[in-house]
Amino acid sequence: MDKKLQIPHILQIGSSSWQDQVELPAGLGWHFFQATTLPSLKDYMEEEEISKFKALILEKPEDLLALGEDLTYFQPYTVFYDENHGLEAPSAELAHLLTLKQARPWDFSNKHQFLYVLDRFLYDNQYGDAFTVRDLQVRPDFAGQQTVLGQHFLKLDGAYGEEFTPIAQWVYNYVYDASRPINFWLEYEKDPSCQLQLRIQFYRYGALGDWVKDAVFSEEDMQQPLELDGAEPYYLAFSLEAKGEGSLTIGALHKRLSHGPLGGMTVGAQTLRDHKRQEIFAYFHPGDMKPPLNIYFSGYRPAEGFEGFGMMRAMGSPFILFSDPRLEGGSFYMGSEELENQITAFIDQHLDLLGFEPKEMNFSGLSMGTFGALYYGALYCPHAILVGKPIVNLGDVAANLKFKRPDEFGTSLDMMQLIIGQVSQEGIGQLNQRFWDRFKQADFKDTILALAYMRDDDYDQQAYPDILEALYELPVRIISTSRAGRHNDASGPIIEWFATQYKEIMERDFGRNQ
């Protein structure tokens, strides 16, 4: 492949080129034009053998108007303009374009720092995983009480000393190769009577036990993800230190590729968090800003991040992706009232931004994502809810672990512990009821429910019949299909049917031909 196609390219529009004002990062293709001399980007990119631009930098936001149809060469969240040249009252056309590209005002006073941000944090990849409490070793002489809460939480209760003292360490190291910035996020809850700090030890990469330095992070530091963006690779070791006394519950230590100030799990994404340090990832793509707004809840994912981006973008309309990084692969988008309210607030914010009504939305998901689509869809009663392999009776999913799926998806018990606070027979009913209390209050008379289910589902065999029973006396339009097999069988046909229903709804009800 031509080397020119591999390097990142940036287009700058303004009065003078930054190339003459600041040293550019190595290996960066820089292209400068004044707004009045801007060529056809299609012809220019073909002539210069440029496959895509990484970012667009504008001196003034109104320079967007000079691009016309060439704006299609820039992805949302990759357009930046000088915040000191922002317009208090942009024209309707310019306001539309700024929203269409989710253009960001930025302080260009330190151009070198901004270019560093683009170079290090603006990229397409997403990835995250976590050390769990199974990777945690408590100090042998700790005299307090230790309680293992499933596979994902460890509760300590006792005295930790008057000074910060190591209380636990993760038994595995992490390899930081310096190719991309990373960040860390620790799940924990504690009594106010004890304090924490996280210690990271840096060891020389490629050496055995060659210590370089320590970094210590307080609870105040840990209010935000801990960023690591150095040029040198290291082996990292982690330990938790405590002082005072009381109860401390330790969860996962997440480690993720970082996009720094440009987004959460990916560029433009947000991370929703509650006071328990539980998280949901959310991403909005403006599409063409015409109805409908499609909302997709990612399925079970041990590797943290979003799914469904390509499928949703191909539809052309605005969309929202949600992803749940808790437990082993997600906790079905249920959590504290605070966390759930942040999910609905994110939807409301972008519904208002687009000027859409609830009937100009579609909710969707597969497997774990079906719970999110139905649970939150019940609050909005959108145009359609599309699901494949629905799971709604989460208590039953946990109960089925013993006989229907022995030793498979033990995370369901961890979910009961996380959401209900106990693993018990009573917890089964309480976990089920969380869904039905909401679903049965919804007014679905103008909502299409498209459901594809497995007839021998070993996770939640009653999901489809229970939904039918709940809607039996209501004038609801239901489209359904089924396949023989257990939950994880026939994924291909289910996904194909799901995509076909989406396509038909987009064409028939919104006049969109893909």
Side-chain angles (χ1 to χ4, degrees), residues 55-291:
L56 170 63
I57 298 175
L58 305 171
E59 186 173 293
K60 299 177 294 184
E62 54 264 37
D63 289 339
L64 267 182
L65 298 170
L67 283 159
E69 294 184 357
D70 284 343
L71 260 181
T72 58
Y73 293 109
F74 302 94
Q75 294 301 310
Y77 305 103
T78 67
V79 176
F80 304 86
Y81 63 88
D82 191 339
E83 65 180 14
N84 295 316
H85 286 276
L87 299 175
E88 291 187 7
S91 66
E93 181 184 5
L94 180 55
H96 173 79
L97 294 180
L98 292 171
T99 304
L100 184 70
K101 292 302 170 184
Q102 293 293 290
R104 307 178 192 229
W106 208 277
D107 181 5
F108 289 162
S109 60
N110 188 337
K111 294 181 175 60
H112 182 269
Q113 176 61 26
F114 174 64
L115 291 175
Y116 181 84
V117 168
L118 293 189
D119 185 48
R120 287 292 284 172
F121 294 101
L122 185 57
Y123 58 93
D124 293 333
N125 295 8
Q126 61 164 11
Y127 183 76
D129 56 32
F131 290 135
T132 71
V133 295
R134 289 173 290 181
D135 308 315
L136 198 62
Q137 186 174 41
V138 178
R139 192 179 73 222
D141 62 349
F142 175 62
Q145 185 177 9
Q146 302 181 38
T147 306
V148 177
L149 302 173
Q151 298 187 65
H152 293 278
F153 296 95
L154 173 65
K155 184 176 181 181
L156 306 179
D157 205 329
Y160 308 105
E162 296 182 1
E163 302 295 332
F164 278 114
T165 307
I167 185 64
Q169 67 178 28
W170 284 266
V171 297
Y172 297 110
N173 290 346
Y174 177 80
V175 179
Y176 171 64
D177 64 9
S179 62
R180 292 292 187 195
I182 58 172
N183 63 41
F184 304 101
W185 179 258
L186 177 64
E187 293 182 33
Y188 68 84
E189 291 185 72
K190 68 176 192 64
D191 289 341
S193 53
C194 63
Q195 287 80 50
L196 289 181
Q197 63 183 27
L198 180 69
R199 182 179 296 272
I200 303 180
Q201 295 177 305
F202 292 70
Y203 292 91
R204 198 170 310 282
Y205 185 79
L208 293 176
D210 190 358
W211 174 84
V212 177
K213 63 181 179 178
D214 280 12
V216 179
F217 301 94
S218 67
E219 290 177 31
E220 184 177 353
D221 295 330
M222 290 190 284
Q223 291 302 306
Q224 297 296 325
L226 304 176
E227 196 82 46
L228 178 57
D229 177 30
E232 295 294 323
Y234 292 102
Y235 297 132
L236 305 179
F238 304 86
S239 61
L240 199 61
E241 300 176 354
K243 70 177 181 178
E245 61 181 359
S247 176
L248 164 63
T249 301
I250 308 169
L253 175 60
H254 299 269
K255 44 200 194 301
R256 299 159 178 158
L257 291 178
S258 174
H259 296 275
L262 301 183
M265 199 64 213
T266 190
V267 172
Q270 296 183 31
T271 302
L272 314 178
R273 295 190 180 98
D274 67 6
H275 69 284
K276 296 183 176 183
R277 301 177 65 85
Q278 301 287 303
E279 301 173 304
I280 296 291
F281 300 140
Y283 173 81
F284 167 72
H285 190 293
D288 59 8
M289 293 179 62
K290 299 175 183 178

Side-chain angles (χ1 to χ4, degrees), residues 368-429:
M368 185 182 84
T370 66
F371 187 94
L374 292 161
Y375 185 69
Y376 292 95
L379 294 176
Y380 292 89
C381 301
H383 176 73
I385 301 177
L386 305 94
V387 296
K389 302 187 178 183
I391 300 176
V392 297
N393 296 299
L394 299 183
D396 289 357
V397 175
N400 288 339
L401 181 66
K402 188 170 184 179
F403 295 114
K404 289 196 173 182
R405 343 174 291 279
D407 301 321
E408 184 178 330
F409 199 54
T411 301
S412 56
L413 299 179
D414 291 313
M415 182 170 55
M416 186 186 295
Q417 177 68 53
L418 178 65
I419 304 299
I420 304 300
Q422 60 177 313
V423 177
S424 65
Q425 192 66 34
E426 294 77 17
I428 293 172

